[in-house]
Amino acid sequence: MKFVGTMMKAHGAWRRAAGYLALAVLAATVQAHAQPNAPDHQPLLRALNAARQQGCDDRPGPATPLRENTRLSSAAALIAGGRKLGDALQASGYRAVRAAQITLRGYSGPAELAQAAVDSSCSTVTEGELAEAGFHQRGTQTWIVLAAPFSPPGAAQAGDVQARVLALVNEARTRPRRCGNDSFAAARPLRLNATLHGVADAHAADMARHNYFSHSGRDGSRVAERASRAGYPWRAIGENIAAGQMQADAVVQGWLNSPGHCANIMSPAYTEMGAAFAVNNKTSAGIYWVQVFGAAR
């Protein structure tokens, strides 16, 4: 679930990204499905990781082994009881970026089960992004859930993340680029500005706190007004927003792939920028990004 939005002032164009996929965040407990003595899934996990490392279709497996997550095992138990994958993940309190399930019948023993999982779903078992696993077994039936966890950066990483966004943006500006129907020459590098960072941070935090995704703040303000209120004397101002991406590289690449966002990144009118993110696991997107461009008078 990833969203992007761009806005420009002083150049007469802005494009607002709208809509996001609603995700009901449930606080339902799964204790009723838990067993007093949780089964030991480590032998199956080890066997699955051994098979995963071997890869498939002449492709090597991922270097990072799967790790068991008890909430995914709770989700697997719910699937065994008839729940759909998405409902089971929500009910177990696990937020996934991507997830897959494998159901095996008639196999026993960790090695046999792992081989059956690879034989039936090798590309899923060996997908590196799916880093966590859960298991449920009943008789000769086994349910396996693999997932890419929602793991956004923490607040302590905010400075490093902003520096990474700046580096990626300036790298993009080093060479000519076509943004949709518009061509841009290479542009001079941007520098960080603390006031623009504050503007970006405040809007990202507001979207995360109140679960919305828009260039318009809840008070109706746009980036130009927010920058002015913060004391930034702009002659050109612009804004990119995004939601759902967990890493700076994915956010910037998404902006570069979108004509309006790309135009903001490549515009020679801007000389500085600020970028920020805010996380709220109880919202639709989970993480919200804002990048504010400016040039002072």
Side-chain angles (χ1 to χ4, degrees):
M1 295 168 289
K2 300 175 182 177
F3 316 97
V4 292
T6 179
M7 184 176 185
M8 296 174 63
K9 278 247 183 189
H11 300 287
W14 64 270
R15 183 169 68 83
R16 176 178 171 183
Y20 51 77
L21 178 63
L23 173 65
V25 179
L26 303 180
T29 179
V30 293
Q31 291 180 354
H33 300 275
Q35 301 176 13
N37 297 308
D40 181 11
H41 296 132
Q42 290 304 304
L44 176 55
L45 180 65
R46 286 193 294 269
L48 194 60
N49 275 326
R52 174 177 160 101
Q53 279 189 325
Q54 293 177 6
C56 59
D57 299 329
D58 297 324
R59 294 185 315 238
T64 304
L66 292 166
R67 55 186 180 272
E68 184 178 4
N69 184 291
T70 56
R71 290 188 176 185
L72 285 181
S73 292
S74 296
L78 291 172
I79 292 170
R83 300 286 285 272
K84 299 294 186 183
L85 174 61
D87 291 341
L89 290 171
Q90 290 176 354
S92 65
Y94 186 95
R95 182 162 194 152
V97 177
R98 292 189 57 251
Q101 71 178 78
I102 301 171
T103 303
L104 303 172
R105 294 179 174 86
Y107 301 95
S108 62
E112 186 177 344
L113 283 165
Q115 188 59 54
V118 170
D119 290 344
S120 64
S121 306
C122 189
S123 60
T124 298
V125 172
T126 58
E127 184 176 337
E129 187 181 18
L130 301 177
E132 295 191 331
F135 309 91
H136 182 75
Q137 294 178 284
R138 186 173 63 210
T140 59
Q141 296 186 80
T142 299
W143 291 264
I144 301 172
V145 179
L146 304 177
F150 177 74
S151 54
Q157 299 171 274
D160 292 339
V161 170
Q162 180 178 224
R164 180 61 177 165
V165 171
L166 177 69
L168 292 168
V169 165
N170 282 338
E171 180 183 352
R173 287 168 68 94
T174 61
R175 52 189 176 274
R177 186 176 298 270
R178 191 166 181 83
C179 301
N181 295 324
D182 299 320
S183 295
F184 290 84
R188 303 179 85 173
L190 302 177
R191 59 183 178 271
L192 290 178
N193 178 277
T195 302
L196 293 180
H197 167 72
V199 174
D201 186 61
H203 189 48
D206 195 61
M207 289 194 292
R209 186 178 302 113
H210 298 285
N211 192 21
Y212 71 97
F213 180 68
S214 175
H215 289 289
S216 296
R218 289 178 305 116
D219 60 357
S221 66
R222 297 298 185 104
V223 63
E225 184 179 350
R226 293 191 290 269
S228 295
R229 284 195 312 224
Y232 185 79
W234 60 271
R235 58 180 170 83
I237 198 78
E239 179 181 76
N240 284 349
I241 61 176
Q245 298 90 342
M246 290 185 293
Q247 302 297 332
D249 292 55
V251 173
V252 174
Q253 189 58 57
W255 284 332
L256 288 171
N257 291 342
S258 175
H261 309 89
C262 177
N264 266 352
I265 288 174
M266 295 301 299
S267 175
Y270 301 132
T271 60
E272 47 197 3
M273 58 152 276
F277 67 90
V279 177
N280 185 345
N281 192 46
K282 296 182 179 181
T283 60
S284 300
I287 180 170
Y288 299 80
W289 299 80
V290 179
Q291 180 181 30
V292 179
F293 303 89
R297 291 193 297 271

